[in-house]
Amino acid sequence: QVQLVEFGGGLVQPGGSLRLSCAASGSRFNSNTMAWYRRAPGKERELVATITSGSRTNYADSVKGRFVISRDNAKKTVYLQMNTLKPEDTAVYYCCALTGVAVYWGQGTQVTVSS
């Protein structure tokens, strides 16, 4: 069983930055692939970024060069550094753990990019 809690959402102006954090419980964090998804109003859920147990990363084209996913295995935490934010980045952001046998989700954190 894995529990995920996201932190760090909020309101930011276009061009600004935010860092999301996701704290995980469970003993196998190091071996899990972790991911960030988002769902904008009226749109389907979108994969934003992934990071494997070996810290190999992958990004959606829409965020490549602006967002950075990272992990701290000692703290069982995954981060999403979001830079040069745009209004179209407005969404609820969800942390996700892929254990190989199950997928776990956090409750989501709202990110709003607006002037």
Side-chain angles (χ1 to χ4, degrees), residues 29-89:
F29 177 83
N30 293 11
S31 60
N32 294 339
T33 289
M34 301 297 296
W36 287 96
Y37 282 78
R38 68 185 181 187
R39 177 171 281 163
K43 295 188 177 181
E44 294 189 355
R45 187 174 58 199
E46 174 189 23
L47 176 63
V48 176
T50 61
I51 185 165
T52 67
S53 58
S55 293
R56 186 167 63 246
T57 60
N58 192 40
Y59 298 93
D61 287 344
S62 59
V63 307
K64 206 170 289 184
R66 300 188 297 122
F67 290 12
V68 178
I69 188 171
S70 61
R71 64 191 298 160
D72 185 332
N73 289 336
K75 295 182 178 179
K76 294 185 179 180
T77 300
V78 62
Y79 304 97
L80 185 67
Q81 177 67 43
M82 305 185 294
N83 301 318
T84 320
L85 282 160
K86 305 175 181 180
E88 51 263 43
D89 294 317

